Amino acid sequence: MKKVVTVQANTVEEAIQQALIMLEVPLEQVQVEVLTNPGRRLMGLRKALAEVKVTSVDQVGEPPIARELSKIEELASLLDDVDLNGPQAVNRPAKKEIPDMNNQSDVSAARIQEGKIQFQFNDNSLPSIIPNENALLYVNGELCTQPISIQPEDQVTLTICDEVVAPKFTIQLIEKNMIALLSFTPGKRIKRSLANTAWSPRLAIRVDEVTEVTNDIKPQQIVDELKVMGVQQGLVFPAIKKATEVDKPYELIVAKGTLPVEGTDGDLEVHVRYEAFDPNSEEKVDFREMNAITNVKEGQVIATHVLPVEGTAGRSLLGHKIPVKPVRDVILRLGKNVEQVDRDLVALISGKPVIVWRDRLVEIEVNSEFNHPGEVSLESGNIRFEGDVRIGGNILPSMFVGATGSIFVGGSITKATIHAMKSVMVRGNVLSSTISVGKQEAAINELARLIKEVTHLLVQIKEAVDQIFIIRGQGEADLNPSELKRLIQLLMEKRYAQLEDLNKQFIQKVRSQKATLDEEWTNVADSLYDIFINPINEDMQNLEEFGRVVEEAQILAQLYDGGSSLQTKLSVPYAINSTLYSNGHIEVYSKGVYHCNLSAEQTIKINGVCRGGEISAPFEIVLQESGSKNPVKTVIRTSAEGCIKIGRAFAGTEIYVGIRKHVFTKDGTNITARLNAEGELDLG
C-alpha cells in the first residue's frame, strides 16, 4: 500500500527531508511534487512556506502513482492517447475465496479489512465505492474522486495520505519599526489508516486519524529571519526561546528598538508662597492682615534655576535614529535687589518678591514695601514708590498714589488718582476717582506685537538680499556700506513699504517709555533707527552686521511673544462716577458700580449692580444686574469671541457683541449673549 504525505517547511529541501523521515524510505523510493515554492507575500511582510507532496514507490517493479491531473492535463492526455500506468492493483479474490456474508452471497459488495479492500460479485449487480479525500482511490490506474461502480475485472488500489504541516512563524515590524512581533502557528503530524468496514453494496471509505502537534523550530531560524529583515539588535532571547517551546498559536515580541528618552526643559523652582486676598471671604478675614504679601528676608533664596536635561535619541530595529525634541531653558532677567549665586536667586533686601513669566523669559525682582498707616492727604503728600504700597486709611481728594508693584488701600478713595503696575485692592468705596492697573504691561504687549511684525519683514528683506547676490553671482564684498544700505532701502520702497511705518511706531514707543523699559528694548530700537532712519550712520559695514540686528530683533520678539503670565487685577467693593482700567481683570465684589466706565483687557465681574456708564472687556463680562427701573443708559461691550452674562437686565440696557447690538425694550433675566455659528447675536 502506497503512502502519501504533504509537508510544509521553510525550503523545498527541508520539506522533502521531513517527508523522507516520516515515510522511512530513501529518496530513490519516492516521487516528489512541489506544490508551493517558498517566497514572501504582502509586500514582503509575510513569509510563504514551501509545500511538497511526497509519494512512496514500491522498490520492486511497482508503477508510479498517478497524481491528480488538472483539467488541461486531462485534455492533453486524451489527445495524446497517453496510457497512464496506475499503481499495481490489488488482486480481486475469486468468488470462492470470499468468506461467508451471512447468507447474502448473492449480493455484490465490498469491504475493508486490515487495510485491504475486498469484493464479492454476482451476476445481478455491481458494488460501488464512495472515495475519501484522505485515501486516494485508483481504479485501473486512474484517480477517482466521485462514487464509482466496480467491475469484476477492475484493479482497485487505495493509497493512504498522511499529512505533515510544519510549524511556521511570521515576523512583522510594528510601531514604526520599534517592535518585532512574531506570530507562531504550531505544526502537526497526521497519521491515517483505513478503518475496517462490514460488507456493503455501497462502500464509503472511512479513515482513522491520529494527530500530533509539533514544534521543531530552532532559535537560530528566528534569528536568521530577523537578520533577513535587517534586525540585528534589540533581540529578546528569552522570547525567542519560548517561541520554540510552545504548542499552540502564540504571539510575542522577539525584538525591541531603543525608545528615545525625552529631555526636560529648564525651569524655575520657586521657594516662596503667595497668599492672595479672597474678597468673597471678607466676613472671616482680619482686614488688618488682608491682602497679606509674602515677604522675603535679606539673603533668603527666592528660587532655584533648574537646568535643562538633554534627552537621549532612540534607535529603531532597522538602525534608524529617532531624534528627541530639543530642550529649552528659561531665560532669567534679574531685576532690582536680586542676585544669582550658583543656581540660587537670592534677595538682597527684605521685601516682596515679584516673579513675572513671559513664556521662556522670567523676570525676578524684590520690591521694598512702603507702609503708610494713615490717610493720604495734603499733609502726607502724593506717594510715588518703586515697589509695593500699603495705605491704611483713606485717600483724600486731589491726591495721587503710584507704585511699580501693587497697591492696597484700607479705606476709601475720593476724587483721587491711583496707578499701579501689578494690582490694586481697595477695601473702601471709590468715589469720582481714576484707578488704572497694568498700563505698563499693556504697553509692553503692544511693543511685543510691533517687534514681531517688524522682525517678520526684516527676515524677508535679508532673504531677498541673499537671493540677489546668488542671482547676480556677486558677493556682499562687491558693495560698500552705503551701497548695501541703499539696496535695503530700495527693497523697502518696492516690496516692504509697510516696514517704514511699523519701524517708526516701534522706535517712538520705545523712546517714549525708555525710563520704564529694560535695556534690551532700547538697544534694538537704536539699531533699527541707525539702519533705516539715520541718514549719516555708516555703522553697518556688511550684511553680517545687518543679520546680527535681525537676530537681536528675533530674540526679543520670541522672548515676549508668549505674553505675561502675571494676571493684573483691580478689586473694589463699590464705585460711583469713576474710571477703572485693568490690563487683566476687574472685580467688583460687593455693592456694584454707578455711572462708571470700566475697561479690562480680559474679564470683568460685578457681583452687585451696574447702573449707568459703560463696561468693556473682550473675553467675558458677568453682571448680577444692569440698568435701572428709571431711564439710565448702560452700555456693555465685548468682542465677537466674547460673552456677556446678566442675571437681570432692565429695559434700556444696551449690549454689543462684536458689531452686533441689542437694546432691551423690556426686562430680561438669565441672559447669556454671544454670537452663534452664523455670526448672529444669541441671547441664550
Side-chain angles (χ1 to χ4, degrees):
M1 184 173 60
K2 311 297 183 296
K3 288 190 175 182
V4 179
V5 295
T6 302
V7 181
Q8 292 182 338
N10 289 328
T11 65
V12 173
E13 294 76 8
E14 185 179 343
I16 294 174
Q17 289 299 324
Q18 293 183 17
L20 293 176
I21 294 172
M22 295 183 59
L23 295 175
E24 298 180 346
V25 294
L27 181 62
E28 295 77 13
Q29 295 183 23
V30 297
Q31 287 185 340
V32 179
E33 178 184 355
V34 179
L35 302 179
T36 305
N37 285 310
R40 288 191 173 273
R41 306 290 186 269
L42 296 178
M43 301 178 68
L45 294 178
R46 188 177 296 279
K47 184 176 181 180
L49 299 177
E51 185 175 6
V52 299
K53 182 177 180 182
V54 180
T55 306
S56 65
V57 180
D58 288 346
Q59 191 171 5
V60 181
E62 185 172 353
I65 298 175
R67 64 179 177 86
E68 184 178 357
L69 301 177
S70 67
K71 183 176 181 181
I72 300 300
E73 290 173 326
E74 289 176 353
L75 292 175
S77 66
L78 291 175
L79 292 174
D80 297 336
D81 196 20
V82 174
D83 183 15
L84 297 177
N85 295 322
Q88 184 175 349
V90 176
N91 291 329
R92 173 175 53 83
K95 289 184 180 180
K96 61 182 180 180
E97 297 177 354
I98 299 176
D100 179 49
M101 295 177 54
N102 300 326
N103 298 323
Q104 297 183 17
S105 59
D106 58 338
V107 178
S108 296
R111 74 174 182 179
I112 294 176
Q113 289 292 319
E114 302 301 328
K116 295 183 179 181
I117 188 167
Q118 300 173 351
F119 298 93
Q120 71 173 9
F121 294 91
N122 64 23
D123 296 334
N124 297 324
S125 62
L126 295 174
S128 61
I129 302 176
I130 302 174
N132 186 300
E133 62 179 1
N134 294 319
L136 303 180
L137 172 64
Y138 291 92
V139 178
N140 300 324
E142 293 187 1
L143 178 65
C144 298
T145 59
Q146 299 295 328
I148 186 172
S149 296
I150 303 301
Q151 301 289 340
E153 64 275 10
D154 289 339
Q155 293 184 349
V156 180
T157 301
L158 286 175
T159 301
I160 294 297
C161 298
D162 289 344
E163 184 177 354
V164 174
V165 178
K168 58 183 178 180
F169 65 88
T170 58
I171 301 175
Q172 57 179 332
L173 299 182
I174 60 176
E175 300 296 333
K176 299 182 179 179
N177 298 329
M178 291 298 292
I179 293 177
L181 181 65
L182 181 143
S183 299
F184 170 76
T185 303
K188 58 184 178 180
R189 183 180 290 111
I190 303 175
K191 293 184 178 181
R192 299 186 175 98
S193 60
L194 293 173
N196 291 338
T197 66
W199 289 105
S200 173
R202 186 175 176 83
L203 176 64
I205 300 174
R206 291 187 294 107
V207 175
D208 292 332
E209 294 184 348
V210 177
T211 302
E212 177 186 357
V213 176
T214 62
N215 180 3
D216 56 359
I217 291 176
K218 302 296 186 293
Q220 189 60 42
Q221 294 176 254
I222 299 175
V223 174
D224 291 342
E225 178 66 16
L226 288 169
K227 287 182 179 179
V228 171
M229 300 174 69
V231 179
Q232 300 189 30
Q233 57 185 358
L235 304 186
V236 183
F237 289 101
I240 294 175
K241 186 175 184 301
K242 183 175 179 62
T244 65
E245 299 171 348
V246 295
D247 58 357
K248 59 183 179 181
Y250 210 78
E251 282 190 346
L252 69 171
I253 296 172
V254 293
K256 295 180 181 179
T258 303
L259 293 173
V261 179
E262 295 293 340
T264 56
D265 291 340
D267 202 354
L268 192 68
E269 182 183 358
V270 180
H271 303 307
V272 295
R273 184 169 59 92
Y274 293 88
E275 297 177 357
F277 167 65
D278 181 6
N280 296 321
S281 61
E282 57 180 310
E283 298 301 328
K284 305 175 184 179
V285 174
D286 181 356
F287 290 108
R288 292 173 299 179
E289 302 298 330
M290 189 168 48
N291 197 35
I293 300 174
T294 298
N295 287 318
V296 294
K297 296 181 179 180
E298 180 180 351
Q300 182 177 343
V301 176
I302 303 170
T304 299
H305 180 199
V306 180
L307 298 177
V309 178
E310 294 290 340
T312 303
R315 192 167 295 275
S316 73
L317 289 172
L318 299 180
H320 299 149
K321 184 178 179 181
I322 302 174
V324 294
K325 182 177 67 174
V327 297
R328 305 192 312 168
D329 195 8
V330 294
I331 299 174
L332 299 177
R333 289 285 186 269
L334 303 185
K336 299 174 298 182
N337 306 318
V338 176
E339 70 173 357
Q340 184 169 357
V341 180
D342 294 331
R343 293 189 292 112
D344 292 332
L345 306 180
V346 181
L348 296 179
I349 65 169
S350 297
K352 178 188 174 185
V354 178
I355 303 176
V356 180
W357 292 82
R358 304 176 188 274
D359 192 24
R360 291 182 298 151
L361 176 65
V362 186
E363 298 177 341
I364 304 175
E365 63 183 24
V366 175
N367 289 337
S368 56
E369 182 181 271
F370 178 77
N371 191 347
H372 182 72
E375 294 182 337
V376 178
S377 61
L378 293 175
E379 183 178 352
S380 66
N382 295 329
I383 296 176
R384 292 179 174 85
F385 189 70
E386 294 287 331
D388 299 323
V389 174
R390 178 182 289 269
I391 307 297
N394 301 324
I395 301 178
L396 300 184
S398 302
M399 303 310 297
F400 172 85
V401 177
T404 59
S406 300
I407 296 176
F408 169 74
V409 181
S412 298
I413 302 174
T414 304
K415 296 183 179 179
T417 302
I418 308 295
H419 288 171
M421 289 189 182
K422 307 301 181 185
S423 66
V424 171
M425 173 67 200
V426 181
R427 174 68 183 94
N429 299 325
V430 178
L431 307 174
S432 303
S433 298
T434 298
I435 302 177
S436 66
V437 181
K439 279 192 173 181
Q440 177 65 19
E441 192 71 19
I444 290 178
N445 291 339
E446 175 64 14
L447 287 175
R449 181 191 65 80
L450 287 172
I451 192 59
K452 184 177 180 180
E453 295 180 5
V454 168
T455 301
H456 178 69
L457 295 174
L458 290 176
V459 171
Q460 293 187 31
I461 290 176
K462 185 176 184 304
E463 291 176 349
V465 173
D466 291 337
Q467 291 177 11
I468 290 173
F469 286 145
I470 293 173
I471 294 172
R472 294 286 186 179
Q474 294 178 329
E476 58 175 298
D478 297 327
L479 298 179
N480 59 45
S482 61
E483 291 173 333
L484 178 59
K485 188 172 183 178
R486 179 56 183 160
L487 174 61
I488 293 174
Q489 290 175 344
L490 287 175
L491 286 172
M492 287 178 55
E493 294 173 1
K494 293 183 177 180
R495 299 180 59 179
Y496 307 104
Q498 65 270 38
L499 176 60
E500 183 176 0
D501 290 337
L502 289 172
N503 191 41
K504 287 180 179 180
Q505 289 181 43
F506 173 74
I507 294 171
Q508 290 171 358
K509 286 184 177 294
V510 169
R511 290 185 172 180
S512 65
Q513 303 173 49
K514 184 175 181 179
T516 59
L517 291 175
D518 292 332
E519 186 179 357
E520 55 198 5
W521 290 99
T522 56
N523 289 342
V524 172
D526 291 343
S527 296
L528 293 176
Y529 174 80
D530 288 338
I531 292 176
F532 297 104
I533 298 177
N534 188 354
I536 61 174
N537 176 64
E538 297 295 343
D539 290 342
M540 188 180 69
Q541 299 297 321
N542 49 43
L543 191 59
E544 182 179 352
E545 182 71 17
F546 178 66
R548 183 188 60 78
V549 174
V550 174
E551 183 178 359
E552 289 178 355
Q554 282 181 301
I555 293 174
L556 188 62
Q558 291 171 2
L559 288 178
Y560 288 88
D561 186 42
S564 173
S565 64
L566 178 66
Q567 298 295 323
T568 56
K569 187 174 182 179
L570 168 58
S571 298
V572 299
Y574 171 82
I576 184 170
N577 295 329
S578 297
T579 299
L580 309 180
Y581 168 82
S582 172
N583 184 52
H585 309 275
I586 293 178
E587 180 179 14
V588 181
Y589 58 86
S590 185
K591 297 178 182 179
V593 293
Y594 291 76
H595 305 286
C596 292
N597 291 329
L598 277 66
S599 176
E601 300 299 329
Q602 296 191 27
T603 67
I604 294 177
K605 181 179 180 181
I606 301 176
N607 290 333
V609 302
C610 175
R611 306 206 191 283
E614 184 168 330
I615 312 296
S616 174
F619 297 148
E620 184 180 61
I621 299 175
V622 180
L623 308 173
Q624 183 176 334
E625 188 175 296
S626 66
S628 173
K629 293 181 180 180
N630 299 321
V632 55
K633 186 175 182 179
T634 304
V635 180
I636 305 168
R637 301 178 186 271
T638 190
S639 67
E641 294 76 25
C643 174
I644 299 174
K645 297 179 180 179
I646 307 175
R648 181 181 182 184
F650 284 100
T653 299
E654 297 181 13
I655 61 173
Y656 293 81
V657 180
I659 61 172
R660 301 298 181 184
K661 174 184 177 182
H662 177 77
V663 180
F664 288 90
T665 56
K666 60 180 181 178
D667 296 352
T669 57
N670 297 324
I671 307 300
T672 301
R674 58 166 56 93
L675 298 184
N676 58 23
E678 290 74 29
E680 299 297 329
L681 184 59
D682 182 3
L683 298 180

